[in-house]
Amino acid sequence: MSPRVQRLRGLVRKEVLQILRDPSALLIAFLLPFILLIINGFGMSLDAHRMKLAAVVEAGAAPTRAIEQALDASPYLSVYWAPSGQAARRALDTGEVRGILTLRQDFAQKLERQARWPAVAQLAVNATDPNTARLLQGYVTGAFIVWLQDVAKERNLSTGGGPVLETRFWYNPELRSTDFIVPGVIAMVMSMTGTLLTALIVAREWERGTMESMLASPAGMAELVGAKLGTYFVLGMGSMAMSVLITVFVFGVPLHGGLGALAATAALFLVFALAQGLFISTLARNQFVAAQLAFITTMMPAIMLSGMLFDIASMPRWLQLLTYVFPARYFVAAVQTLFLAGNIWSVLIPNLCGLAIAAALTVAATLAITHRRLD
Amino acid sequence: MLARVIALIIKELISLWADKKTRYVILIPPLIQVIIFANAATYDVWRVPISVWNEDLGSQSAEYIRGFSYSPAFAPAPDVFSPAQARQVLESKTAAAVLHIPQNFSAYMLSGRAAHVQLLIDARRSNTALLIGNYAAEITAAYAARLNPAAAPPVDIELTNLLNPSLESQWFILPGLVVILSLIMTTLVSALSLAREKELGTFEQMLVTPLRPAEIMLGKAVPPLIVGLLEANIVLLAALILFRLPFKGNLPVLELCLAVYSLTGVGLGLALSSFTRTQQQAILGAFVFIAPAIVISGYATPVDNMPRAVQLLSLIDPIRYMLVISRGMFLENLPASVVVAQSWPMLLIAAVLLSGATLMVRRSIS
């Protein structure tokens, strides 16, 4: 056995022992992803079922009864029939309802006579959260459309001319937001665990001076970095496997793509994240600064700039360009596609290339900066 | 006693400020995050690439499609000519939706008959998919009204968006960032200050000084409180100056609430570090608590959407309460009753955490 291999074996042994002795690494690799996935998977949801709406009916005549039924029947709305405008307003102010629908006295009269159409219904929405406001508007409009169709059928009216829009939702027909959020959370978890694993643990070695003594040993820089990355890589892949199992079996997200493609994607991303952690810790050499940098450069971009929750295409142009710098973007695109659509190579190949380039650049930068730090 | 505590506070502040890197980490990243995240965090849907599969040869389909071209919600993607192509552009995300117009669409429209138009939407991103559907329905209704101006629809819904009339996502996200960033900083600073002393062994030295446990806690609590308030105000100023958010509430009341809220962060940090032995464990502990706390607080997705159990869990999450106050203060003059209703749970959480941490320190003495 050449001394080089022997040294490498010794280094890996040292890392493994260190991991087993200090529970931090195992906590980062397994407990943290577990908690994050469970909480995010259950907690983050854009599906607003049973959105609370107050309705004030001043009219009370027959035609509105049918509208009331249509509103009550909507699976997306939970209607509070307010006795008065003031009561509804109070419910809106205290946040008990998201909006108020008002049918005024003349609503029923106008609805009766075709000549006086349209009868106007007022919808006031609390738009503090613009997304919820838009959804509520859509749901109320939807309930009215259902009612109009019933009326047309009942009175045997022809709907007149014009286009009838039929909407089909592909890849996620039930529109479960969990199906795209949870694969996104995997990206968040992997960037965090990957970077934290190395950032914190190596920052401590710098802080205590044990990193310097390692560098003084006959082991070369590449061997040191390689042994660290290799050991934590195995740990990180374990945490990825656990995340995928939770996604499929706890949250019931279908996995349409192949495991091989998923493993390759994860491996590339993990090399990047681990190297970035090493880079940060070498730069910071202080656990507080390292933790802050790790949080700011991984966790936040993984949530905000990866396309996991917010659509990149809707961001301003300069920010869209900036997202290309953060590999979480490539990882999220690849993982979401693998889970929901399958092995679509036209999506996967560009993103895997992005990940490979990011990984190579970060490893190179880490090697360079560790060299310089010795001076 | 007061002099002793003040001396300890000054010592803590100096040790924070002395390190150049720590100084940068406290001041610069929040600003960068505000600028980037305020622009990124948008659920707005616009310029969605849409492909058209038009089998009609007449002028009416062109007229109908023009409605989509003029809408800011959509941007044109390459046309398709077969179901296979439609599938391919959706799969590869070249287009987020495909509009299929059948043969004889124009003839049907001009003779007053109905024609079925199909809209295929990539629903991988469920939220966007739903909004695309709504926008397309609006465009279709507008086209129908133009085609047949005499026939008014039976019902018209008159919409008012209260508090945020132009539906600005930034008005939603920035008041949230004020809350989130300050808590992250307060918790980390307080968790690390105690953990560092323990790790370096200076904690024992401090215990043998005349300082009593409560005094030590006070001395350890004030500096992170100052840092947290500083952080919140940096974001607040950025929101008002860079993003021109309105501020309709009462600033002193907001600051007071922020102080109470920061106390919960301090309590969390100190409680965590009283359990942990090293800085690393303290940082990890902070992550383990803060990351889920952000998620279930309603910062990114509404609490109402969450399962019942998670909603109940969010009742012990201080971020949840402060979010309501912060958003209310920016966008409306929040009624005093709401401020009180949201403040006392934060006070309670802070009291529990701080007394727990003090108890732990007292125990480590005996």
Side-chain angles (χ1 to χ4, degrees):
Chain A
M1 200 187 288
S2 77
R4 209 187 157 79
V5 176
Q6 221 171 350
R7 265 209 308 271
L8 211 54
R9 268 184 46 165
L11 283 171
V12 170
R13 211 174 101 86
K14 175 229 154 216
E15 299 293 340
V16 171
L17 277 179
Q18 204 177 334
I19 288 172
L20 292 180
R21 211 174 297 144
D22 176 8
S24 301
L26 291 175
L27 284 181
I28 298 177
F30 295 104
L31 187 64
L32 197 60
F34 180 79
I35 295 177
L36 283 176
L37 265 171
I38 295 290
I39 290 278
N40 284 294
F42 284 117
M44 261 193 203
S45 166
L46 293 170
D47 310 337
H49 293 300
R50 313 223 59 84
M51 213 182 260
K52 291 183 197 114
L53 173 79
V56 183
V57 182
E58 292 182 359
T64 57
R65 195 68 27 88
I67 297 181
E68 287 168 27
Q69 277 163 6
L71 286 171
D72 271 332
S74 164
Y76 303 110
L77 297 171
S78 156
V79 185
Y80 156 59
W81 297 99
S84 69
Q86 281 112 340
R89 184 73 211 196
R90 222 175 300 125
L92 188 72
D93 281 341
T94 53
E96 278 162 52
V97 296
R98 291 274 179 183
I100 304 174
L101 178 73
T102 313
L103 303 178
R104 293 211 188 285
Q105 268 166 3
D106 59 350
F107 182 83
Q109 294 161 8
K110 280 193 171 179
L111 202 59
E112 286 287 274
R113 286 204 218 108
Q114 192 158 356
R116 297 183 65 189
W117 283 1
V120 179
Q122 275 92 9
L123 177 64
V125 177
N126 178 348
T128 313
D129 174 357
N131 186 53
T132 310
R134 276 196 206 99
L135 291 179
L136 181 58
Q137 183 205 346
Y139 294 152
V140 173
T141 315
F144 272 92
I145 290 173
V146 168
W147 165 71
L148 281 176
Q149 282 164 351
D150 284 352
V151 171
K153 219 178 277 170
E154 219 171 80
R155 302 195 190 163
N156 217 358
L157 296 171
S158 69
T159 43
V164 178
L165 193 67
E166 275 173 27
T167 309
R168 297 263 180 287
F169 295 107
W170 279 10
Y171 307 119
N172 182 4
E174 294 162 48
L175 293 178
R176 291 206 321 155
S177 66
T178 312
D179 283 11
F180 85 89
I181 289 181
V182 176
V185 174
I186 293 186
M188 175 179 136
V189 166
M190 291 312 289
S191 29
M192 209 166 133
T193 48
T195 314
L196 270 183
L197 268 178
T198 42
L200 285 187
I201 289 161
V202 181
R204 190 171 57 177
E205 293 210 18
W206 282 115
E207 227 174 68
R208 293 181 172 171
T210 48
M211 197 68 181
E212 260 99 354
S213 40
M214 296 262 291
L215 290 174
S217 74
M221 178 58 59
E223 289 170 50
L224 277 179
V225 173
K228 276 205 186 301
L229 282 185
T231 319
Y232 290 124
F233 179 80
V234 174
L235 215 54
M237 286 306 273
S239 113
M240 175 76 190
M242 186 188 75
S243 305
V244 172
L245 288 178
I246 292 179
T247 307
V248 174
F249 292 108
V250 177
F251 294 106
V253 178
L255 176 59
H256 290 294
L259 279 177
L262 192 60
T265 312
L268 282 175
F269 185 71
L270 203 55
V271 170
F272 154 77
L274 292 170
Q276 195 198 8
L278 268 181
F279 184 83
I280 288 175
S281 60
T282 312
L283 202 68
R285 295 199 185 187
N286 161 320
Q287 294 186 57
F288 172 65
V289 179
Q292 277 290 320
L293 281 178
F295 195 78
I296 290 160
T297 57
T298 61
M299 174 90 171
M300 289 305 239
I303 300 178
M304 313 289 283
L305 297 178
S306 66
M308 157 200 166
L309 202 56
F310 305 109
D311 205 350
I312 295 176
S314 299
M315 296 176 190
R317 175 70 62 202
W318 64 270
L319 203 55
Q320 289 189 30
L321 293 177
L322 190 67
T323 60
Y324 287 101
V325 178
F326 295 100
R329 176 204 166 116
Y330 310 115
F331 188 57
V332 168
V335 171
Q336 278 182 348
T337 301
L338 280 169
F339 268 99
L340 293 174
N343 291 346
I344 316 275
W345 294 107
S346 55
V347 178
L348 290 180
I349 289 172
N351 285 307
L352 287 179
C353 287
L355 283 177
I357 293 170
L361 284 180
T362 322
V363 170
T366 308
L367 283 174
I369 193 176
T370 324
H371 267 296
R372 210 158 44 83
R373 278 280 151 158
L374 280 176
D375 306 336
Chain B
M1 175 214 154
L2 193 65
R4 283 204 301 260
V5 173
I6 290 175
L8 183 57
I9 292 173
I10 291 173
K11 175 223 142 203
E12 291 292 326
L13 284 175
I14 289 174
S15 76
L16 265 178
W17 195 250
D19 183 19
K20 205 167 96 190
K21 282 179 195 150
T22 309
R23 216 154 62 205
Y24 282 138
V25 159
I26 291 178
L27 294 178
I28 307 294
L31 275 177
I32 299 174
Q33 292 186 60
V34 166
I35 291 169
I36 291 184
F37 298 153
N39 280 299
T42 169
Y43 293 113
D44 302 352
V45 169
W46 60 312
R47 292 196 309 257
V48 172
I50 183 169
S51 288
V52 177
W53 173 18
N54 189 358
E55 292 192 273
D56 177 60
L57 300 170
S59 60
Q60 284 307 308
S61 57
E63 175 66 26
Y64 178 49
I65 292 166
R66 207 163 296 144
F68 286 85
S69 325
Y70 286 157
S71 161
F74 294 101
D79 287 347
V80 294
F81 303 97
S82 69
Q85 276 185 328
R87 179 171 293 275
Q88 198 259 326
V89 290
L90 284 178
E91 256 182 4
S92 64
K93 295 197 171 184
T94 315
V98 174
L99 181 71
H100 176 208
I101 300 174
Q103 291 175 356
N104 302 327
F105 176 83
S106 296
Y108 274 61
M109 290 300 109
L110 293 174
S111 61
R113 277 181 289 171
H116 286 259
V117 175
Q118 215 176 28
L119 183 69
L120 308 173
I121 303 175
D122 170 3
R124 269 171 274 188
R125 187 171 288 282
S126 59
N127 189 58
T128 308
L130 210 63
L131 291 177
I132 292 175
N134 287 351
Y135 289 135
E138 273 171 30
I139 292 170
T140 307
Y143 166 77
R146 275 204 307 280
L147 188 69
N148 214 346
V155 173
D156 188 25
I157 298 177
E158 198 179 82
L159 180 75
T160 320
N161 288 311
L162 302 168
L163 304 179
N164 184 359
S166 46
L167 297 179
E168 301 273 358
S169 283
Q170 289 171 355
W171 290 21
F172 177 62
I173 290 297
L174 279 166
L177 268 182
V178 171
V179 175
I180 301 283
L181 290 183
S182 76
L183 189 83
I184 294 174
M185 204 55 88
T186 334
T187 312
L188 272 180
V189 169
S190 53
L192 284 178
S193 78
L194 203 57
R196 192 171 46 224
E197 302 236 18
K198 277 178 149 181
E199 201 175 325
L200 298 177
T202 51
F203 186 62
E204 265 86 34
Q205 290 173 16
M206 198 148 64
L207 289 180
V208 297
T209 62
L211 285 163
R212 288 206 307 268
E215 290 171 16
I216 294 180
M217 291 320 256
L218 196 60
K220 287 280 176 196
V222 173
L225 193 68
I226 294 173
V227 173
L229 282 175
L230 183 73
E231 200 77 13
N233 280 292
I234 292 177
V235 185
L236 186 87
L237 278 179
L240 297 179
I241 295 168
L242 297 178
F243 295 95
R244 312 215 162 275
L245 254 72
F247 189 88
K248 299 198 178 137
N250 184 323
L251 190 61
V253 174
L254 177 68
E255 297 288 345
L256 193 68
C257 293
L258 277 171
V260 173
Y261 167 71
S262 294
L263 272 183
T264 67
V266 173
L268 176 62
L270 290 180
L272 274 173
S273 56
S274 66
F275 281 107
T276 54
R277 275 173 296 127
T278 62
Q279 292 185 68
Q280 204 168 84
Q281 291 169 356
I283 294 174
L284 279 179
F287 272 118
V288 167
F289 277 94
I290 294 180
I294 292 176
V295 171
I296 64 173
S297 68
Y299 165 65
T301 61
V303 177
D304 285 348
N305 295 0
M306 299 170 191
R308 187 107 227 118
V310 180
Q311 288 194 27
L312 286 177
L313 191 63
S314 77
L315 289 176
I316 57 165
D317 182 356
I319 305 177
R320 173 198 166 129
Y321 303 104
M322 194 60 217
L323 272 178
V324 175
I325 296 179
S326 177
R327 284 184 179 140
M329 285 289 178
F330 273 95
L331 300 185
E332 63 186 310
N333 194 356
L334 203 64
S337 60
V338 178
V339 176
V340 172
Q342 304 294 324
S343 300
W344 72 259
M346 292 199 295
L347 259 177
L348 194 68
I349 295 168
V352 169
L353 287 171
L354 284 171
S355 48
T358 316
L359 265 176
M360 286 296 294
V361 170
R362 198 167 283 154
R363 244 192 31 203
S364 67
I365 294 173
S366 49

